[in-house]
Amino acid sequence: MLYLSSLFFLTLVLYFSIKAVIAKFEPKRSAELKNLKFEFDKLDRINQELKEENSLLDSEITQILGLYNISKDMSRELDESKIFHIFKERINDYVSVKDCNFLDKEADLKSYEGYVNFPLIINNEITGYLVASNIAEKDKYRFQILAQQFLIMVKRAFLYKNILELAFMDGLTQIFSRRHLLERFKEELKRSRKFKHNLSFLMVDIDKFKGFNDKYGHLVGDAILREVSKAVKDNIRQIDFAGRYGGEELSIVLPETDKEQALLAAERIRQAIEIRDVKAYDEELKVTVSIGIATFPGDADDSDPLIEAADKALYLAKNAGRNRVCAYRPV
């Protein structure tokens, strides 16, 4: 009995001792739990904020990628009007703009007062303006990106056009180069053959050109070539085309033109050059040309024989005293 009483007493002592220890550490444990909960709530708030920021960032990235998708579409074109059509058609998918136009450099900007304008500068010269009105404040940065991309694409189209012109045009005379002239001539001859049209080929030679070069120098000779080429361009139709065949020789292709019509056209060109005062630096000169004509299909049925026939007609004009027009006469 005494043994049980002692065991019971020891149990009570142990119970109250443990309870006292627990009571002693309970406030500290409670504070730690409270701190942990506070930190957890704080991290949860930060996590939510980060999610919101990520969502906004994703949206912004999507918008920016969309802007460059427009640039990608514009890059497929090399025509200024088509590039602007894509730009204007797609722009309101990404930014809020009331009106948008692409103007040439001669445009009166006073008519676009209140518009934002972005000048297109090529070779240090303004060649046009992109103008827009009522751009939402939040969209100004995105519109600026788009505007710069548009101007880059237009500049690319402009430079491409210049490269083509350099490839197609003779640098001195600003008429077709020999290579492009012959390519176009063959295409036109093929079309004439298909539709059974006449076509006339003119070979033009500047009379006594070597004498001008020897007496006045090559710079004056170059000026004569430019003036004669300009006179030729001024006196042919839109469907006709001219090129520098070589040296002082020019060639003219007259589609849908028979021998009689070609004689009239060649005589008009000859007279226009004869009455022209050619100003070359300090010199004012009178220049004449001789012209030989060959006509498809009567004189020849292909490009090389037709050129040869026109050249023979030119030789006849030269031998007959120059400053005249001669048509090819088959032997």
Side-chain angles (χ1 to χ4, degrees), residues 87 118 130 142-152:
F87 178 82
F118 297 84
L130 175 67
R142 282 197 290 270
F143 183 82
Q144 190 171 13
I145 292 174
L146 269 175
Q148 293 305 322
Q149 290 299 310
F150 168 76
L151 295 176
I152 287 169

Side-chain angles (χ1 to χ4, degrees), residues 64 112 141 191 205 217 222 224 228 237-238 251 286 291:
I64 296 294
Y112 294 90
Y141 173 68
R191 191 179 74 87
D205 187 79
D222 288 349
I224 291 170
V228 169
R237 303 166 300 176
Q238 279 191 325
S251 297
K286 285 292 186 181
I291 303 175

Side-chain angles (χ1 to χ4, degrees), residues 210-255:
K210 186 177 183 301
F212 287 117
N213 263 343
D214 292 344
K215 184 176 181 179
Y216 300 107
H218 289 286
L219 290 177
V220 170
D222 288 349
I224 291 170
L225 266 168
R226 281 194 294 269
E227 285 297 312
V228 169
S229 298
K230 187 174 187 308
V232 167
K233 286 194 294 184
D234 291 344
N235 286 278
I236 57 177
R237 303 166 300 176
Q238 279 191 325
I239 64 169
D240 305 329
F241 54 91
R244 187 178 179 187
Y245 191 78
E248 72 274 19
E249 284 188 331
L250 311 179
S251 297
I252 306 167
V253 177
L254 306 177

Side-chain angles (χ1 to χ4, degrees), residues 293-307:
I293 301 169
T295 301
F296 168 84
D299 296 332
D301 62 358
D302 209 347
S303 57
D304 288 345
L306 204 61
I307 292 170

Side-chain angles (χ1 to χ4, degrees), residues 87-150:
F87 178 82
K88 191 169 184 178
E89 190 177 59
R90 300 277 306 280
I91 191 171
N92 281 303
D93 293 343
Y94 300 97
V95 298
S96 176
V97 177
K98 184 177 179 182
D99 187 30
C100 185
N101 288 286
F102 183 55
L103 313 173
D104 63 38
K105 63 180 179 181
E106 307 298 335
D108 182 12
L109 291 179
K110 290 178 182 176
S111 304
Y112 294 90
E113 190 174 346
Y115 281 62
V116 176
N117 78 73
F118 297 84
L120 173 63
I121 300 173
I122 299 174
N123 297 330
N124 297 319
E125 289 185 9
I126 294 175
T127 59
Y129 299 91
L130 175 67
V131 298
S133 67
N134 297 86
I135 306 169
E137 189 65 35
K138 65 182 178 61
D139 291 335
K140 284 184 177 178
Y141 173 68
R142 282 197 290 270
F143 183 82
Q144 190 171 13
I145 292 174
L146 269 175
Q148 293 305 322
Q149 290 299 310
F150 168 76

Side-chain angles (χ1 to χ4, degrees), residues 67-77 149 153:
L67 302 186
Y68 286 102
N69 280 335
I70 297 179
S71 299
K72 186 178 176 182
D73 291 341
M74 289 191 293
S75 72
R76 294 192 180 101
E77 298 294 343
Q149 290 299 310
M153 295 305 158

